[in-house]
Amino acid sequence: QVQLVESGGGSVQPGGSLRLSCAASGHSYSRNCMGWFRQAPGKEPEGVASIYLNGGSTFYGDSVKGRFAISHDDAKNTVYLQMNDLKPEDTAMYYCAADSMLSFACWRTMERGTPKYKGQGTQVTVSS
């Protein structure tokens, strides 16, 4: 069983930065694909970023490329999402997610918001 606990959300002005953290428990083989997706009220889930722990390959949604960065600290079993130059359209509930799969499927699963394990979510609000 994998448990994911997010932290780091909040309110920020446009152009600001936030760093989300996701502490994971459970065997690493159960969560070799980790990442974040977001969902705004009334909208479909949107993949934000993924990282494949075996090798470290990362993928990003087009709307966040160049602004967000995902990383993983093996010692702390924690995934981070550094979000810079935040925009009002980044406002959403952000979910940390994890699953076990082959590398080529990791981003597509995150993009659809369908990983097996998900955290409770942390709200990010960007407004002036």
mmCIF file of all heavy atoms in Angstrom, residues 76-125:
data_model
loop_
_atom_site.group_PDB
_atom_site.id
_atom_site.type_symbol
_atom_site.label_atom_id
_atom_site.label_comp_id
_atom_site.label_asym_id
_atom_site.label_seq_id
_atom_site.Cartn_x
_atom_site.Cartn_y
_atom_site.Cartn_z
ATOM 1 N N LYS A 76 14.598 10.786 1.182
ATOM 2 C CA LYS A 76 13.415 11.246 1.919
ATOM 3 C C LYS A 76 12.116 10.668 1.356
ATOM 4 O O LYS A 76 11.038 10.961 1.879
ATOM 5 C CB LYS A 76 13.345 12.768 1.899
ATOM 6 C CG LYS A 76 14.502 13.448 2.618
ATOM 7 C CD LYS A 76 14.344 14.959 2.594
ATOM 8 C CE LYS A 76 15.484 15.638 3.350
ATOM 9 N NZ LYS A 76 15.352 17.126 3.343
ATOM 10 N N ASN A 77 12.225 9.885 0.269
ATOM 11 C CA ASN A 77 11.016 9.350 -0.380
ATOM 12 C C ASN A 77 10.011 10.464 -0.648
ATOM 13 O O ASN A 77 8.810 10.331 -0.378
ATOM 14 C CB ASN A 77 10.363 8.264 0.473
ATOM 15 C CG ASN A 77 11.177 6.993 0.501
ATOM 16 O OD1 ASN A 77 11.859 6.654 -0.464
ATOM 17 N ND2 ASN A 77 11.137 6.294 1.614
ATOM 18 N N THR A 78 10.515 11.553 -1.166
ATOM 19 C CA THR A 78 9.688 12.743 -1.377
ATOM 20 C C THR A 78 9.855 13.252 -2.803
ATOM 21 O O THR A 78 10.976 13.319 -3.320
ATOM 22 C CB THR A 78 10.064 13.844 -0.377
ATOM 23 O OG1 THR A 78 9.828 13.366 0.956
ATOM 24 C CG2 THR A 78 9.230 15.096 -0.598
ATOM 25 N N VAL A 79 8.735 13.601 -3.397
ATOM 26 C CA VAL A 79 8.709 14.232 -4.710
ATOM 27 C C VAL A 79 8.358 15.701 -4.533
ATOM 28 O O VAL A 79 7.483 16.046 -3.734
ATOM 29 C CB VAL A 79 7.683 13.550 -5.631
ATOM 30 C CG1 VAL A 79 7.518 14.336 -6.934
ATOM 31 C CG2 VAL A 79 8.108 12.130 -5.940
ATOM 32 N N TYR A 80 9.052 16.536 -5.268
ATOM 33 C CA TYR A 80 8.831 17.975 -5.188
ATOM 34 C C TYR A 80 8.335 18.504 -6.531
ATOM 35 O O TYR A 80 8.692 17.988 -7.592
ATOM 36 C CB TYR A 80 10.117 18.700 -4.816
ATOM 37 C CG TYR A 80 10.716 18.252 -3.509
ATOM 38 C CD1 TYR A 80 11.756 17.327 -3.479
ATOM 39 C CD2 TYR A 80 10.241 18.752 -2.294
ATOM 40 C CE1 TYR A 80 12.308 16.904 -2.275
ATOM 41 C CE2 TYR A 80 10.782 18.336 -1.092
ATOM 42 C CZ TYR A 80 11.809 17.412 -1.085
ATOM 43 O OH TYR A 80 12.345 16.997 0.106
ATOM 44 N N LEU A 81 7.557 19.560 -6.468
ATOM 45 C CA LEU A 81 7.170 20.284 -7.664
ATOM 46 C C LEU A 81 7.453 21.757 -7.410
ATOM 47 O O LEU A 81 6.752 22.407 -6.636
ATOM 48 C CB LEU A 81 5.695 20.083 -8.000
ATOM 49 C CG LEU A 81 5.234 20.746 -9.288
ATOM 50 C CD1 LEU A 81 5.858 20.030 -10.492
ATOM 51 C CD2 LEU A 81 3.707 20.731 -9.410
ATOM 52 N N GLN A 82 8.502 22.246 -8.032
ATOM 53 C CA GLN A 82 8.834 23.662 -7.943
ATOM 54 C C GLN A 82 8.063 24.410 -9.021
ATOM 55 O O GLN A 82 8.198 24.093 -10.202
ATOM 56 C CB GLN A 82 10.343 23.880 -8.129
ATOM 57 C CG GLN A 82 10.776 25.326 -8.099
ATOM 58 C CD GLN A 82 10.574 25.963 -6.733
ATOM 59 O OE1 GLN A 82 10.879 25.367 -5.706
ATOM 60 N NE2 GLN A 82 10.056 27.187 -6.716
ATOM 61 N N MET A 83 7.262 25.365 -8.599
ATOM 62 C CA MET A 83 6.418 26.104 -9.535
ATOM 63 C C MET A 83 6.830 27.566 -9.527
ATOM 64 O O MET A 83 6.741 28.239 -8.492
ATOM 65 C CB MET A 83 4.949 25.959 -9.132
ATOM 66 C CG MET A 83 4.501 24.512 -8.999
ATOM 67 S SD MET A 83 2.736 24.345 -8.678
ATOM 68 C CE MET A 83 2.623 25.088 -7.056
ATOM 69 N N ASN A 84 7.303 28.036 -10.650
ATOM 70 C CA ASN A 84 7.734 29.423 -10.797
ATOM 71 C C ASN A 84 6.848 30.147 -11.797
ATOM 72 O O ASN A 84 6.168 29.532 -12.617
ATOM 73 C CB ASN A 84 9.191 29.470 -11.258
ATOM 74 C CG ASN A 84 10.139 28.824 -10.275
ATOM 75 O OD1 ASN A 84 9.960 28.914 -9.064
ATOM 76 N ND2 ASN A 84 11.175 28.173 -10.799
ATOM 77 N N ASP A 85 6.892 31.473 -11.741
ATOM 78 C CA ASP A 85 6.126 32.307 -12.664
ATOM 79 C C ASP A 85 4.668 31.845 -12.739
ATOM 80 O O ASP A 85 4.110 31.627 -13.819
ATOM 81 C CB ASP A 85 6.763 32.281 -14.058
ATOM 82 C CG ASP A 85 6.155 33.294 -15.007
ATOM 83 O OD1 ASP A 85 5.582 34.299 -14.523
ATOM 84 O OD2 ASP A 85 6.230 33.091 -16.231
ATOM 85 N N LEU A 86 4.072 31.691 -11.581
ATOM 86 C CA LEU A 86 2.703 31.182 -11.528
ATOM 87 C C LEU A 86 1.713 32.152 -12.166
ATOM 88 O O LEU A 86 1.881 33.380 -12.081
ATOM 89 C CB LEU A 86 2.315 30.894 -10.077
ATOM 90 C CG LEU A 86 2.910 29.589 -9.522
ATOM 91 C CD1 LEU A 86 2.908 29.607 -8.006
ATOM 92 C CD2 LEU A 86 2.146 28.399 -10.057
ATOM 93 N N LYS A 87 0.702 31.568 -12.791
ATOM 94 C CA LYS A 87 -0.318 32.335 -13.501
ATOM 95 C C LYS A 87 -1.689 31.998 -12.919
ATOM 96 O O LYS A 87 -1.878 30.918 -12.350
ATOM 97 C CB LYS A 87 -0.286 31.987 -14.984
ATOM 98 C CG LYS A 87 1.069 32.219 -15.637
ATOM 99 C CD LYS A 87 1.065 31.763 -17.083
ATOM 100 C CE LYS A 87 2.425 31.989 -17.724
ATOM 101 N NZ LYS A 87 2.447 31.582 -19.152
ATOM 102 N N PRO A 88 -2.664 32.893 -13.087
ATOM 103 C CA PRO A 88 -4.012 32.602 -12.565
ATOM 104 C C PRO A 88 -4.562 31.264 -13.081
ATOM 105 O O PRO A 88 -5.273 30.568 -12.345
ATOM 106 C CB PRO A 88 -4.831 33.788 -13.068
ATOM 107 C CG PRO A 88 -3.840 34.905 -13.146
ATOM 108 C CD PRO A 88 -2.564 34.266 -13.609
ATOM 109 N N GLU A 89 -4.211 30.898 -14.298
ATOM 110 C CA GLU A 89 -4.713 29.640 -14.845
ATOM 111 C C GLU A 89 -4.072 28.404 -14.213
ATOM 112 O O GLU A 89 -4.481 27.280 -14.491
ATOM 113 C CB GLU A 89 -4.526 29.597 -16.371
ATOM 114 C CG GLU A 89 -3.125 29.927 -16.841
ATOM 115 C CD GLU A 89 -2.986 31.392 -17.247
ATOM 116 O OE1 GLU A 89 -3.531 32.277 -16.543
ATOM 117 O OE2 GLU A 89 -2.309 31.660 -18.273
ATOM 118 N N ASP A 90 -3.084 28.616 -13.356
ATOM 119 C CA ASP A 90 -2.507 27.497 -12.605
ATOM 120 C C ASP A 90 -3.323 27.166 -11.358
ATOM 121 O O ASP A 90 -3.051 26.175 -10.675
ATOM 122 C CB ASP A 90 -1.069 27.816 -12.176
ATOM 123 C CG ASP A 90 -0.116 27.939 -13.349
ATOM 124 O OD1 ASP A 90 -0.206 27.116 -14.277
ATOM 125 O OD2 ASP A 90 0.730 28.864 -13.326
ATOM 126 N N THR A 91 -4.323 27.987 -11.067
ATOM 127 C CA THR A 91 -5.163 27.756 -9.900
ATOM 128 C C THR A 91 -5.908 26.440 -10.029
ATOM 129 O O THR A 91 -6.604 26.199 -11.012
ATOM 130 C CB THR A 91 -6.168 28.908 -9.736
ATOM 131 O OG1 THR A 91 -5.445 30.119 -9.461
ATOM 132 C CG2 THR A 91 -7.137 28.628 -8.595
ATOM 133 N N ALA A 92 -5.742 25.567 -9.041
ATOM 134 C CA ALA A 92 -6.364 24.241 -9.072
ATOM 135 C C ALA A 92 -6.007 23.492 -7.802
ATOM 136 O O ALA A 92 -5.154 23.935 -7.019
ATOM 137 C CB ALA A 92 -5.865 23.444 -10.276
ATOM 138 N N MET A 93 -6.646 22.356 -7.616
ATOM 139 C CA MET A 93 -6.219 21.411 -6.586
ATOM 140 C C MET A 93 -5.137 20.534 -7.218
ATOM 141 O O MET A 93 -5.345 19.982 -8.304
ATOM 142 C CB MET A 93 -7.387 20.554 -6.132
ATOM 143 C CG MET A 93 -7.050 19.630 -4.973
ATOM 144 S SD MET A 93 -6.802 20.534 -3.437
ATOM 145 C CE MET A 93 -8.505 20.858 -2.979
ATOM 146 N N TYR A 94 -4.010 20.456 -6.559
ATOM 147 C CA TYR A 94 -2.898 19.672 -7.067
ATOM 148 C C TYR A 94 -2.799 18.349 -6.300
ATOM 149 O O TYR A 94 -2.768 18.342 -5.075
ATOM 150 C CB TYR A 94 -1.593 20.456 -6.929
ATOM 151 C CG TYR A 94 -1.442 21.534 -7.976
ATOM 152 C CD1 TYR A 94 -2.259 22.659 -7.971
ATOM 153 C CD2 TYR A 94 -0.498 21.419 -8.987
ATOM 154 C CE1 TYR A 94 -2.146 23.638 -8.948
ATOM 155 C CE2 TYR A 94 -0.357 22.401 -9.965
ATOM 156 C CZ TYR A 94 -1.189 23.500 -9.936
ATOM 157 O OH TYR A 94 -1.062 24.470 -10.904
ATOM 158 N N TYR A 95 -2.735 17.281 -7.051
ATOM 159 C CA TYR A 95 -2.680 15.954 -6.457
ATOM 160 C C TYR A 95 -1.346 15.287 -6.771
ATOM 161 O O TYR A 95 -0.914 15.264 -7.930
ATOM 162 C CB TYR A 95 -3.805 15.071 -6.998
ATOM 163 C CG TYR A 95 -5.179 15.550 -6.654
ATOM 164 C CD1 TYR A 95 -5.887 16.420 -7.485
ATOM 165 C CD2 TYR A 95 -5.802 15.126 -5.473
ATOM 166 C CE1 TYR A 95 -7.155 16.867 -7.160
ATOM 167 C CE2 TYR A 95 -7.085 15.566 -5.146
ATOM 168 C CZ TYR A 95 -7.749 16.430 -5.988
ATOM 169 O OH TYR A 95 -9.010 16.870 -5.657
ATOM 170 N N CYS A 96 -0.743 14.749 -5.743
ATOM 171 C CA CYS A 96 0.408 13.882 -5.935
ATOM 172 C C CYS A 96 -0.120 12.489 -6.260
ATOM 173 O O CYS A 96 -1.131 12.050 -5.690
ATOM 174 C CB CYS A 96 1.244 13.847 -4.669
ATOM 175 S SG CYS A 96 2.677 12.757 -4.750
ATOM 176 N N ALA A 97 0.531 11.807 -7.163
ATOM 177 C CA ALA A 97 0.048 10.500 -7.578
ATOM 178 C C ALA A 97 1.210 9.556 -7.840
ATOM 179 O O ALA A 97 2.329 9.997 -8.125
ATOM 180 C CB ALA A 97 -0.823 10.628 -8.832
ATOM 181 N N ALA A 98 0.915 8.270 -7.759
ATOM 182 C CA ALA A 98 1.957 7.271 -7.959
ATOM 183 C C ALA A 98 1.356 5.979 -8.482
ATOM 184 O O ALA A 98 0.175 5.679 -8.252
ATOM 185 C CB ALA A 98 2.696 7.013 -6.647
ATOM 186 N N ASP A 99 2.175 5.218 -9.170
ATOM 187 C CA ASP A 99 1.747 3.927 -9.694
ATOM 188 C C ASP A 99 2.990 3.135 -10.073
ATOM 189 O O ASP A 99 4.115 3.666 -10.055
ATOM 190 C CB ASP A 99 0.829 4.123 -10.905
ATOM 191 C CG ASP A 99 -0.140 2.973 -11.107
ATOM 192 O OD1 ASP A 99 0.205 1.834 -10.716
ATOM 193 O OD2 ASP A 99 -1.230 3.200 -11.657
ATOM 194 N N SER A 100 2.784 1.897 -10.410
ATOM 195 C CA SER A 100 3.877 1.029 -10.843
ATOM 196 C C SER A 100 3.633 0.643 -12.297
ATOM 197 O O SER A 100 2.590 0.049 -12.608
ATOM 198 C CB SER A 100 3.934 -0.228 -9.968
ATOM 199 O OG SER A 100 4.942 -1.104 -10.437
ATOM 200 N N MET A 101 4.563 0.980 -13.168
ATOM 201 C CA MET A 101 4.376 0.696 -14.589
ATOM 202 C C MET A 101 5.688 0.887 -15.325
ATOM 203 O O MET A 101 6.689 1.310 -14.763
ATOM 204 C CB MET A 101 3.330 1.647 -15.175
ATOM 205 C CG MET A 101 3.713 3.107 -15.103
ATOM 206 S SD MET A 101 2.358 4.177 -15.613
ATOM 207 C CE MET A 101 1.134 3.769 -14.392
ATOM 208 N N LEU A 102 5.657 0.550 -16.619
ATOM 209 C CA LEU A 102 6.823 0.780 -17.445
ATOM 210 C C LEU A 102 6.966 2.267 -17.751
ATOM 211 O O LEU A 102 5.990 3.010 -17.759
ATOM 212 C CB LEU A 102 6.710 -0.021 -18.741
ATOM 213 C CG LEU A 102 6.668 -1.552 -18.562
ATOM 214 C CD1 LEU A 102 6.455 -2.240 -19.888
ATOM 215 C CD2 LEU A 102 7.933 -2.048 -17.887
ATOM 216 N N SER A 103 8.177 2.668 -18.025
ATOM 217 C CA SER A 103 8.492 4.080 -18.190
ATOM 218 C C SER A 103 7.635 4.773 -19.248
ATOM 219 O O SER A 103 7.146 5.889 -19.035
ATOM 220 C CB SER A 103 9.971 4.220 -18.565
ATOM 221 O OG SER A 103 10.297 5.558 -18.815
ATOM 222 N N PHE A 104 7.397 4.091 -20.376
ATOM 223 C CA PHE A 104 6.723 4.770 -21.475
ATOM 224 C C PHE A 104 5.277 5.108 -21.139
ATOM 225 O O PHE A 104 4.668 5.978 -21.770
ATOM 226 C CB PHE A 104 6.776 3.921 -22.751
ATOM 227 C CG PHE A 104 5.895 2.703 -22.723
ATOM 228 C CD1 PHE A 104 4.576 2.767 -23.137
ATOM 229 C CD2 PHE A 104 6.390 1.486 -22.279
ATOM 230 C CE1 PHE A 104 3.765 1.649 -23.120
ATOM 231 C CE2 PHE A 104 5.594 0.367 -22.249
ATOM 232 C CZ PHE A 104 4.277 0.448 -22.665
ATOM 233 N N ALA A 105 4.704 4.456 -20.135
ATOM 234 C CA ALA A 105 3.309 4.687 -19.775
ATOM 235 C C ALA A 105 3.139 5.705 -18.652
ATOM 236 O O ALA A 105 2.024 6.123 -18.356
ATOM 237 C CB ALA A 105 2.663 3.375 -19.357
ATOM 238 N N CYS A 106 4.232 6.104 -18.050
ATOM 239 C CA CYS A 106 4.142 6.934 -16.840
ATOM 240 C C CYS A 106 3.462 8.284 -17.115
ATOM 241 O O CYS A 106 2.499 8.640 -16.439
ATOM 242 C CB CYS A 106 5.536 7.127 -16.256
ATOM 243 S SG CYS A 106 5.573 8.040 -14.698
ATOM 244 N N TRP A 107 3.961 9.023 -18.085
ATOM 245 C CA TRP A 107 3.389 10.358 -18.324
ATOM 246 C C TRP A 107 1.938 10.272 -18.783
ATOM 247 O O TRP A 107 1.107 11.038 -18.344
ATOM 248 C CB TRP A 107 4.223 11.120 -19.345
ATOM 249 C CG TRP A 107 3.517 12.350 -19.837
ATOM 250 C CD1 TRP A 107 3.108 12.620 -21.105
ATOM 251 C CD2 TRP A 107 3.083 13.474 -19.033
ATOM 252 N NE1 TRP A 107 2.468 13.837 -21.148
ATOM 253 C CE2 TRP A 107 2.430 14.387 -19.907
ATOM 254 C CE3 TRP A 107 3.179 13.792 -17.678
ATOM 255 C CZ2 TRP A 107 1.891 15.590 -19.457
ATOM 256 C CZ3 TRP A 107 2.633 14.992 -17.227
ATOM 257 C CH2 TRP A 107 2.010 15.876 -18.110
ATOM 258 N N ARG A 108 1.624 9.335 -19.660
ATOM 259 C CA ARG A 108 0.258 9.236 -20.146
ATOM 260 C C ARG A 108 -0.715 8.961 -19.000
ATOM 261 O O ARG A 108 -1.816 9.512 -18.964
ATOM 262 C CB ARG A 108 0.159 8.141 -21.220
ATOM 263 C CG ARG A 108 -1.236 7.946 -21.762
ATOM 264 C CD ARG A 108 -1.819 9.242 -22.303
ATOM 265 N NE ARG A 108 -1.049 9.826 -23.359
ATOM 266 C CZ ARG A 108 -1.253 9.594 -24.650
ATOM 267 N NH1 ARG A 108 -2.211 8.782 -25.015
ATOM 268 N NH2 ARG A 108 -0.516 10.185 -25.549
ATOM 269 N N THR A 109 -0.315 8.128 -18.054
ATOM 270 C CA THR A 109 -1.160 7.841 -16.898
ATOM 271 C C THR A 109 -1.346 9.090 -16.040
ATOM 272 O O THR A 109 -2.451 9.381 -15.580
ATOM 273 C CB THR A 109 -0.543 6.717 -16.063
ATOM 274 O OG1 THR A 109 -0.433 5.544 -16.879
ATOM 275 C CG2 THR A 109 -1.385 6.402 -14.835
ATOM 276 N N MET A 110 -0.277 9.822 -15.832
ATOM 277 C CA MET A 110 -0.357 11.051 -15.044
ATOM 278 C C MET A 110 -1.190 12.092 -15.775
ATOM 279 O O MET A 110 -1.961 12.838 -15.170
ATOM 280 C CB MET A 110 1.049 11.579 -14.781
ATOM 281 C CG MET A 110 1.181 12.435 -13.556
ATOM 282 S SD MET A 110 0.805 11.549 -12.017
ATOM 283 C CE MET A 110 2.077 10.274 -12.045
ATOM 284 N N GLU A 111 -1.034 12.134 -17.082
ATOM 285 C CA GLU A 111 -1.759 13.107 -17.898
ATOM 286 C C GLU A 111 -3.261 12.918 -17.786
ATOM 287 O O GLU A 111 -4.034 13.875 -17.799
ATOM 288 C CB GLU A 111 -1.308 12.954 -19.355
ATOM 289 C CG GLU A 111 -1.775 14.020 -20.308
ATOM 290 C CD GLU A 111 -1.176 13.821 -21.690
ATOM 291 O OE1 GLU A 111 -0.962 12.658 -22.096
ATOM 292 O OE2 GLU A 111 -0.929 14.820 -22.367
ATOM 293 N N ARG A 112 -3.663 11.688 -17.661
ATOM 294 C CA ARG A 112 -5.086 11.368 -17.560
ATOM 295 C C ARG A 112 -5.603 11.450 -16.131
ATOM 296 O O ARG A 112 -6.802 11.344 -15.908
ATOM 297 C CB ARG A 112 -5.328 9.950 -18.096
ATOM 298 C CG ARG A 112 -5.075 9.810 -19.588
ATOM 299 C CD ARG A 112 -5.168 8.357 -20.007
ATOM 300 N NE ARG A 112 -5.025 8.204 -21.456
ATOM 301 C CZ ARG A 112 -4.890 7.023 -22.053
ATOM 302 N NH1 ARG A 112 -4.898 5.910 -21.343
ATOM 303 N NH2 ARG A 112 -4.768 6.965 -23.356
ATOM 304 N N GLY A 113 -4.697 11.601 -15.165
ATOM 305 C CA GLY A 113 -5.125 11.647 -13.776
ATOM 306 C C GLY A 113 -5.600 10.305 -13.265
ATOM 307 O O GLY A 113 -6.442 10.246 -12.372
ATOM 308 N N THR A 114 -5.037 9.224 -13.794
ATOM 309 C CA THR A 114 -5.526 7.888 -13.435
ATOM 310 C C THR A 114 -4.519 6.995 -12.723
ATOM 311 O O THR A 114 -4.662 5.781 -12.751
ATOM 312 C CB THR A 114 -6.011 7.154 -14.700
ATOM 313 O OG1 THR A 114 -4.924 7.104 -15.656
ATOM 314 C CG2 THR A 114 -7.200 7.860 -15.315
ATOM 315 N N PRO A 115 -3.490 7.522 -12.088
ATOM 316 C CA PRO A 115 -2.609 6.643 -11.314
ATOM 317 C C PRO A 115 -3.367 5.952 -10.191
ATOM 318 O O PRO A 115 -4.368 6.466 -9.706
ATOM 319 C CB PRO A 115 -1.557 7.606 -10.746
ATOM 320 C CG PRO A 115 -1.589 8.779 -11.650
ATOM 321 C CD PRO A 115 -3.019 8.894 -12.081
ATOM 322 N N LYS A 116 -2.849 4.822 -9.771
ATOM 323 C CA LYS A 116 -3.530 4.005 -8.773
ATOM 324 C C LYS A 116 -3.592 4.692 -7.411
ATOM 325 O O LYS A 116 -4.592 4.583 -6.710
ATOM 326 C CB LYS A 116 -2.810 2.662 -8.637
ATOM 327 C CG LYS A 116 -3.445 1.694 -7.649
ATOM 328 C CD LYS A 116 -2.704 0.365 -7.652
ATOM 329 C CE LYS A 116 -3.354 -0.628 -6.706
ATOM 330 N NZ LYS A 116 -2.619 -1.931 -6.712
ATOM 331 N N TYR A 117 -2.546 5.381 -7.047
ATOM 332 C CA TYR A 117 -2.468 6.004 -5.727
ATOM 333 C C TYR A 117 -2.479 7.532 -5.872
ATOM 334 O O TYR A 117 -1.773 8.092 -6.720
ATOM 335 C CB TYR A 117 -1.206 5.573 -4.988
ATOM 336 C CG TYR A 117 -1.078 4.085 -4.825
ATOM 337 C CD1 TYR A 117 -0.190 3.349 -5.593
ATOM 338 C CD2 TYR A 117 -1.856 3.403 -3.890
ATOM 339 C CE1 TYR A 117 -0.070 1.980 -5.450
ATOM 340 C CE2 TYR A 117 -1.741 2.034 -3.738
ATOM 341 C CZ TYR A 117 -0.853 1.332 -4.524
ATOM 342 O OH TYR A 117 -0.745 -0.032 -4.378
ATOM 343 N N LYS A 118 -3.275 8.176 -5.043
ATOM 344 C CA LYS A 118 -3.377 9.630 -5.079
ATOM 345 C C LYS A 118 -3.418 10.178 -3.669
ATOM 346 O O LYS A 118 -3.956 9.532 -2.761
ATOM 347 C CB LYS A 118 -4.653 10.061 -5.813
ATOM 348 C CG LYS A 118 -4.776 9.508 -7.202
ATOM 349 C CD LYS A 118 -6.143 9.793 -7.800
ATOM 350 C CE LYS A 118 -6.316 9.055 -9.132
ATOM 351 N NZ LYS A 118 -7.663 9.248 -9.683
ATOM 352 N N GLY A 119 -2.868 11.368 -3.488
ATOM 353 C CA GLY A 119 -2.962 12.029 -2.210
ATOM 354 C C GLY A 119 -4.282 12.765 -2.067
ATOM 355 O O GLY A 119 -5.138 12.699 -2.949
ATOM 356 N N GLN A 120 -4.419 13.473 -0.976
ATOM 357 C CA GLN A 120 -5.664 14.193 -0.704
ATOM 358 C C GLN A 120 -5.744 15.500 -1.488
ATOM 359 O O GLN A 120 -6.835 16.066 -1.634
ATOM 360 C CB GLN A 120 -5.784 14.482 0.792
ATOM 361 C CG GLN A 120 -5.961 13.235 1.642
ATOM 362 C CD GLN A 120 -7.236 12.507 1.300
ATOM 363 O OE1 GLN A 120 -8.319 13.080 1.270
ATOM 364 N NE2 GLN A 120 -7.123 11.218 1.009
ATOM 365 N N GLY A 121 -4.615 15.962 -1.966
ATOM 366 C CA GLY A 121 -4.606 17.195 -2.738
ATOM 367 C C GLY A 121 -4.224 18.395 -1.909
ATOM 368 O O GLY A 121 -4.440 18.421 -0.694
ATOM 369 N N THR A 122 -3.647 19.381 -2.558
ATOM 370 C CA THR A 122 -3.319 20.647 -1.919
ATOM 371 C C THR A 122 -3.700 21.766 -2.871
ATOM 372 O O THR A 122 -3.425 21.708 -4.067
ATOM 373 C CB THR A 122 -1.813 20.706 -1.539
ATOM 374 O OG1 THR A 122 -1.542 21.898 -0.811
ATOM 375 C CG2 THR A 122 -0.905 20.643 -2.759
ATOM 376 N N GLN A 123 -4.375 22.771 -2.340
ATOM 377 C CA GLN A 123 -4.916 23.853 -3.165
ATOM 378 C C GLN A 123 -3.840 24.880 -3.494
ATOM 379 O O GLN A 123 -3.099 25.318 -2.609
ATOM 380 C CB GLN A 123 -6.083 24.532 -2.458
ATOM 381 C CG GLN A 123 -6.698 25.690 -3.219
ATOM 382 C CD GLN A 123 -7.421 25.244 -4.476
ATOM 383 O OE1 GLN A 123 -8.044 24.190 -4.515
ATOM 384 N NE2 GLN A 123 -7.339 26.063 -5.526
ATOM 385 N N VAL A 124 -3.792 25.254 -4.750
ATOM 386 C CA VAL A 124 -2.932 26.349 -5.200
ATOM 387 C C VAL A 124 -3.831 27.409 -5.825
ATOM 388 O O VAL A 124 -4.608 27.116 -6.731
ATOM 389 C CB VAL A 124 -1.893 25.858 -6.227
ATOM 390 C CG1 VAL A 124 -1.138 27.045 -6.844
ATOM 391 C CG2 VAL A 124 -0.912 24.893 -5.576
ATOM 392 N N THR A 125 -3.742 28.622 -5.320
ATOM 393 C CA THR A 125 -4.537 29.732 -5.822
ATOM 394 C C THR A 125 -3.617 30.867 -6.235
ATOM 395 O O THR A 125 -2.781 31.308 -5.445
ATOM 396 C CB THR A 125 -5.523 30.228 -4.763
ATOM 397 O OG1 THR A 125 -6.373 29.138 -4.365
ATOM 398 C CG2 THR A 125 -6.385 31.358 -5.303
#
